[in-house]
Amino acid sequence: MTATANAIRWENLGLDPVIVDLGFFQLRWYSLAYLAGIVIGWWYLLKLLAQPGAPMARRHADDMVFYATLGIILGGRLGYVLFYRPLYYLENPLEIPMVMEGGMSFHGGVIGVSLGILWMARRHGLDWLRIHDYVACCIPFGLFLGRLANFVNAELWGRATDVPWAVIFPTGGEIARHPSQLYEAFLEGFVLFLVLAFMFWRTQARYKPGMLVGTFVLGYGLSRFFVEFFREADEHLMEFARITHLHMGQWLSLPMILIGLYLILTATRRTARVRPVPADGAAAS
């Protein structure tokens, strides 16, 4: 009771998920977070490509934004449908396209973006793994803003706790909870960005195909796996978590951890394969 009495109430923070409400149209922070993450990521990608050894030209980056956006939306939505609520959407298939009502999977979004990169690289004869390295450096922006938007939406909250910074969310009952959205924003967004930025700007990591994307995949997998211990499982996956002793997010993060380790450990042997992209944007043979 004392912990609940001393907890921070979400309502007292002055937050509102909706920025603009015209009745027939709503602009929400969650939608803006997606848009801002893509735009800022694009801007940062251009800064990375301006450095020596870039795997693609500016015109490829413009195409990359288009494919990445499709991958985020389609992959994120289909990932949520398949990984988190397959039976529900099997019975309600007409709700699958209703993205604005919520339900996106980061793991599905990663798969979607990767497929977009593979398609673009194949079309232009570019090194798909090195493009992954550069794109991976840009993703933490979206992760950071997306998790902050989750907090503003009072969703995906954590387990009950008595820590001084516990929050009582309006959708989580009169229970003081971990603000696990902020934990994820810090680790997956802020910390992971700093690690990748240091590796790109201060080391030779960008000349070792797979090193940067491997670090991102490993870092995200470890961060998500760790934070899930403080996060409440989705209501419809409570039984799954009880039976398997891990949340769905943790199971989906395990392959990422293994793939990340593999890419990092094998990156050095791929260094000799790096080829520059000529100024006209055509891939080198």
Side-chain angles (χ1 to χ4, degrees):
M1 179 66 69
T2 303
T4 302
N6 294 334
I8 302 167
R9 286 193 170 272
W10 182 91
E11 295 92 334
N12 295 337
L13 297 176
L15 302 175
D16 189 339
V18 180
I19 308 172
V20 177
D21 188 351
L22 301 178
F24 62 91
F25 171 78
Q26 281 189 342
L27 177 61
R28 304 178 68 88
W29 284 108
Y30 193 73
S31 301
L32 187 62
Y34 266 87
L35 178 61
I38 292 171
V39 172
I40 297 173
W42 181 22
W43 165 79
Y44 190 59
L45 178 61
L46 295 180
K47 290 182 67 69
L48 301 181
L49 293 177
Q51 306 307 308
M56 59 181 176
R58 163 65 188 261
R59 68 183 183 88
H60 298 132
D62 296 341
D63 289 344
M64 186 67 256
V65 173
F66 172 74
Y67 291 118
T69 302
L70 281 181
I72 291 170
I73 297 174
L74 297 179
R77 182 58 170 175
L78 291 177
Y80 180 79
V81 170
L82 295 174
F83 299 149
Y84 289 91
R85 307 198 71 178
L87 295 180
Y88 174 82
Y89 286 105
L90 185 63
E91 297 175 356
N92 303 275
L94 295 181
E95 294 186 24
I96 294 178
M98 298 180 183
V99 179
M100 296 305 293
E101 294 188 7
M104 297 287 281
S105 164
F106 173 77
H107 296 91
V110 167
I111 295 173
V113 171
S114 293
L115 291 175
I117 292 175
L118 289 170
W119 172 255
M120 191 201 76
R122 182 180 178 83
R123 284 188 60 197
H124 298 287
L126 302 172
D127 188 328
W128 63 273
L129 188 54
R130 295 201 67 225
I131 295 176
H132 273 81
D133 282 332
Y134 279 63
V135 172
C137 294
C138 306
I139 296 177
F141 293 111
L143 287 173
F144 180 77
L145 295 173
R147 293 309 181 190
L148 291 183
N150 289 147
F151 184 79
V152 172
N153 281 352
E155 61 188 2
L156 305 183
W157 21 257
R159 295 180 175 180
T161 182
D162 59 358
V163 297
W165 55 88
V167 178
I168 299 175
F169 294 95
T171 53
E174 285 297 310
I175 301 174
R177 299 179 179 277
H178 283 287
S180 54
Q181 314 96 321
L182 303 184
Y183 301 169
E184 291 192 70
F186 177 72
L187 291 175
E188 301 166 6
F190 183 70
V191 173
L192 198 48
F193 168 76
L194 291 181
V195 171
L196 291 170
F198 176 82
M199 292 178 66
F200 183 93
W201 296 100
R202 299 297 183 184
T203 75
Q204 297 295 305
R206 67 177 182 269
Y207 296 108
K208 300 175 181 179
M211 179 65 76
L212 290 169
V213 68
T215 300
F216 168 78
V217 171
L218 175 63
Y220 177 87
L222 290 174
S223 298
R224 179 68 180 271
F225 194 92
F226 172 72
V227 173
E228 286 285 343
F229 286 115
F230 301 93
R231 180 172 160 179
E232 190 78 79
D234 293 350
E235 184 176 355
H236 59 281
L237 290 174
M238 285 285 193
E239 185 65 14
F240 175 86
R242 187 188 67 80
I243 294 173
T244 66
H245 304 290
L246 292 176
H247 292 185
M248 177 61 77
Q250 291 174 307
W251 285 110
L252 294 174
S253 294
L254 286 175
M256 296 186 71
I257 294 172
L258 295 177
I259 292 171
L261 283 172
Y262 171 78
L263 290 172
I264 292 171
L265 294 175
T266 59
T268 301
R269 72 178 66 166
R270 289 188 289 267
T271 303
R273 302 181 189 179
V274 174
R275 295 290 184 274
V277 176
D280 63 359
S285 59

